[in-house]
Amino acid sequence: TPDPCCCPRIVSRSQWGARAPKNRVRLRTPVPFVIIHHTEGNPCTSQASCSRQVRGIQNYHMNSNGWSDIGYNFLIGEDGNVYEGRGWSTMGAHAKNWNHKSLGFSFLGSFSSRVPNNAALNAAKSLIQCAVSKGFLSRSYFLKGHRNVNPTDCPGNALYKVIRQWPRFKA
């Protein structure tokens, strides 16, 4: 349930048309880390186009990667909405060796040479506060980019420069 005080608008799995997960592994919360990604896909600025992107990513993760579900815990659109992936209490598949101790939030789009719009950035910051206020993310959490924990360019140079300035960032 969205907590209007501290949480962004979260589009539920049923609202974006998710397939059922093949299985779920419980995430022990609160976790100490939040890891930021980008999907490297097309940008989206409406709930319809973002939902279409999220469905495509779920199909790719399940059909091509053979995963049980979409890899991320949540995804963030430039429509200003957050899309529920595995959610708060299911372990993700987004950062090798870090999935058991982190939440994975991914921006929808490719952010190597451009920054997500303010609607997306604000939704992401709000989601982090929401995670803390709901007790899923430790109050003393650290924020990392995917490249800080695995050999990758993710979340893109432009976005990485932005999150480096955010509170509690630690490379």
Side-chain angles (χ1 to χ4, degrees), residues 88-109:
W88 297 118
S89 40
T90 299
M91 192 187 303
H94 59 88
K96 194 172 166 59
N97 299 328
W98 288 72
N99 293 315
H100 66 287
K101 58 184 175 184
S102 68
L103 289 166
F105 297 168
S106 191
F107 285 84
L108 288 157

Side-chain angles (χ1 to χ4, degrees), residues 51-62:
S51 294
R52 201 160 45 243
Q53 286 290 327
V54 175
R55 286 194 299 272
I57 293 161
Q58 184 187 38
N59 285 333
Y60 179 74
H61 285 179
M62 292 177 78

Side-chain angles (χ1 to χ4, degrees), residues 11 43 46 54 75 82 105 131 136 141:
V11 177
S46 70
V54 175
L75 302 93
V82 172
F105 297 168
F136 295 115
Y141 76 90

Side-chain angles (χ1 to χ4, degrees), residues 1-164:
T1 50
D3 174 357
C5 113
C6 327
C7 296
R9 178 156 181 272
I10 297 178
V11 177
S12 71
R13 292 175 65 94
S14 62
Q15 285 173 302
W16 61 257
R19 294 160 58 183
K22 293 183 198 141
N23 71 310
R24 287 196 176 99
V25 176
R26 195 157 181 78
L27 183 64
R28 288 185 53 185
T29 55
V31 292
F33 298 101
V34 57
I35 299 177
I36 302 295
H37 303 260
H38 68 160
T39 61
E40 293 188 80
N42 293 321
C44 60
T45 51
S46 70
Q47 187 171 327
S49 64
C50 288
S51 294
R52 201 160 45 243
Q53 286 290 327
V54 175
R55 286 194 299 272
I57 293 161
Q58 184 187 38
N59 285 333
Y60 179 74
H61 285 179
M62 292 177 78
N63 300 350
S64 301
N65 295 0
W67 298 347
S68 60
D69 197 357
I70 193 167
Y72 309 111
N73 296 95
F74 292 92
L75 302 93
I76 299 135
E78 289 185 290
D79 60 343
N81 287 322
V82 172
Y83 292 79
E84 179 186 15
R86 296 196 186 196
W88 297 118
S89 40
T90 299
M91 192 187 303
H94 59 88
K96 194 172 166 59
N97 299 328
W98 288 72
N99 293 315
H100 66 287
K101 58 184 175 184
S102 68
L103 289 166
F105 297 168
S106 191
F107 285 84
L108 288 157
S110 186
F111 300 104
S112 300
S113 49
R114 78 174 184 95
V115 170
N117 67 12
N118 280 330
L121 293 173
N122 290 335
K125 288 179 182 169
S126 172
L127 185 63
I128 293 169
Q129 288 316 117
C130 175
V132 172
S133 72
K134 286 182 174 297
F136 295 115
L137 182 62
S138 162
R139 288 192 177 281
S140 54
Y141 76 90
F142 287 113
L143 174 83
K144 291 180 174 291
H146 189 194
R147 63 173 63 177
N148 298 129
V149 300
N150 293 149
T152 173
D153 288 337
C154 183
N157 287 338
L159 176 54
Y160 184 69
K161 279 197 184 101
V162 171
I163 66 164
R164 278 198 336 215

